[in-house]
Amino acid sequence: MTWDWRLGGVLLGAVFFAAVLLVKPIGVSTQFVILDAIVADVVTPDFITKTADGYTSTNAYMAKSNGKYAGNAANPLNYSFVFVLAMAAGAFVSTLLKGGIGQQERRLPAVWRANFGDTPWKHYAVAFAGGFVVLYGARLAGGCTSGHMMSGMMQTSLSGYIFALGAFLAAVPTALFMYRED
């Protein structure tokens, strides 16, 4: 089961519009920080503490904004965190509806095998490094691709357009370099 890209684009636009209209713009990179804080609080129980005004943390980043991040980690069942969990669940359901992913594709994507051979360790290292750089950059920029580019551009935010320009100026040459035809 596959959808035409135009239908997918219209549906994605409708979801973003409904989210902005009903709740708030979509953005997810902060929720990875919240997940880190949840894990840190399990490992170090005094990482997040309840105060008379709300929550705080021994970590300055988690304590900023009057403990907003610490509060979200202490009570993660909020719109944004559930949204991220729903994205993962939606991807899983989509994969099931598509008929699953074959064993070869699960091991290594075909495009990777065609360009770099049968090297799963290299694929995992590149995927981890790329994910790290993108998430680190998203936190430096105060938001992620969905928050800056997709939600930001939908709201005609100048920073959204600047982020999109920067993302494509980096992504297109990187993709052309990594998947070039010899």
Side-chain angles (χ1 to χ4, degrees):
M1 175 182 157
T2 58
W3 288 6
D4 183 85
W5 66 269
R6 291 169 288 235
L7 174 61
V10 168
L11 290 174
L12 182 63
V15 167
F16 268 81
F17 182 76
V20 169
L21 185 67
L22 300 173
V23 186
K24 66 179 189 173
I26 292 174
V28 298
S29 66
T30 300
Q31 300 316 306
F32 292 98
V33 174
I34 301 303
L35 180 61
D36 291 345
I38 293 168
V39 172
D41 195 47
V42 168
V43 174
T44 309
D46 64 341
F47 185 75
I48 297 172
T49 54
K50 186 162 178 50
T51 65
D53 300 332
Y55 290 89
T56 190
S57 175
T58 55
N59 179 284
Y61 188 81
M62 296 305 297
K64 76 179 190 176
S65 299
N66 295 323
K68 179 183 170 190
Y69 290 167
N72 285 339
N75 302 300
L77 290 180
N78 57 57
Y79 167 77
S80 297
F81 197 73
V82 170
F83 182 82
V84 172
L85 297 176
M87 284 184 355
F92 179 71
V93 169
S94 174
T95 300
L96 291 179
L97 290 174
K98 189 180 173 187
I101 298 173
Q103 185 175 357
Q104 274 292 82
E105 193 70 12
R106 264 195 315 263
R107 184 171 182 279
L108 272 178
V111 69
W112 181 271
R113 274 194 314 277
N115 285 281
F116 302 104
D118 194 20
T119 57
W121 63 270
K122 188 188 291 186
H123 177 258
Y124 297 140
V126 168
F128 179 82
F132 179 84
V133 168
V134 168
L135 189 55
Y136 184 76
R139 297 315 312 145
L140 283 178
C144 59
T145 307
S146 56
H148 276 305
M149 187 165 28
M150 297 171 80
S151 290
M153 288 176 65
M154 185 180 78
Q155 297 172 81
T156 64
S157 166
L158 178 60
S159 66
Y161 289 101
I162 293 170
F163 181 88
L165 179 66
F168 281 101
L169 284 175
V172 170
T174 300
L176 290 173
F177 173 75
M178 287 199 61
Y179 297 105
R180 65 187 176 275
E181 292 183 30
D182 292 329

